[in-house]
Amino acid sequence: MSLEELYRQVILDHYRNPRRSGSIEQADAHAEGHNPLCGDEVTIEVMIDDGVIVDAAVRGRGCSISQASASMMADAIVDKSLESVATLTRQVKSMLDIEDGNPGLDPERPGSVLGDLEALAGVKQFPVRIKCADLPWTTLEEALATTD
Ligand code: ZN
């Protein structure tokens, strides 16, 4: 199986079986994001205890890239400190080449630290999709920015 196929399967799996889908009754932070270019919507809720994200829930609708990215994100941020989540967010954004001057991670490089999230690197070939993949991460940043 090619890496591209593998990425496509990872994205489809998260799209069809979204992780941590739903809502949290007493969320400490939440935000809603929209990507008007594609019509994607994502709502993110997190519970934070002592600087650690202890629970996360996402719901939304839109294309497979946006919803898979939200699912991967929700999966990746639970049990992580706010600091490591900020680092992870930067890593994902640089992988997507959103931050100027950063070459991003090499999608051909095996065994990278980002795991499933690496699958999102495939969207770089489709610039219009970058905003789809980025939407949950930007929404997460907005949610976390409300916490202090
Ligand atoms: Zn989209």
Side-chain angles (χ1 to χ4, degrees):
M1 192 190 306
S2 72
L3 195 61
E4 203 168 296
E5 257 173 90
L6 180 71
Y7 283 172
R8 195 174 306 131
Q9 288 199 358
V10 169
I11 286 172
L12 278 179
D13 178 53
H14 277 271
Y15 178 57
R16 290 177 181 147
N17 311 293
R19 321 296 200 262
R20 302 187 182 276
S21 169
S23 58
I24 295 172
E25 288 222 344
Q26 305 219 311
D28 296 303
H30 69 96
E32 285 173 39
H34 302 268
N35 171 18
L37 288 178
C38 182
D40 306 316
E41 295 174 14
V42 176
T43 299
I44 295 167
E45 292 167 334
V46 293
M47 280 183 79
I48 301 165
D49 185 23
D50 205 14
V52 173
I53 293 183
V54 291
D55 200 5
V58 291
R59 56 187 187 279
R61 56 183 176 184
C63 69
S64 57
I65 300 289
S66 66
Q67 303 308 304
S69 179
S71 166
M72 290 180 200
M73 182 198 70
D75 221 14
I77 62 175
V78 172
D79 292 331
K80 282 204 172 70
S81 71
L82 294 173
E83 269 172 38
S84 18
V85 167
T87 304
L88 180 66
T89 302
R90 278 196 303 275
Q91 285 174 323
V92 170
K93 282 174 177 280
S94 77
M95 178 179 75
L96 293 171
D97 277 345
I98 287 166
E99 286 173 0
D100 288 342
N102 192 315
L105 299 179
D106 180 0
E108 302 295 328
R109 192 185 63 188
S112 151
V113 289
L114 292 178
D116 274 8
L117 291 167
E118 288 271 306
L120 295 174
V123 307
K124 277 196 295 189
Q125 299 159 54
F126 313 99
V128 73
R129 290 288 183 213
I130 291 177
K131 280 205 180 305
C132 302
D134 176 58
L135 176 67
W137 298 89
T138 295
T139 308
L140 175 69
E141 281 185 326
E142 283 167 13
L144 297 181
T146 66
T147 57
D148 50 26

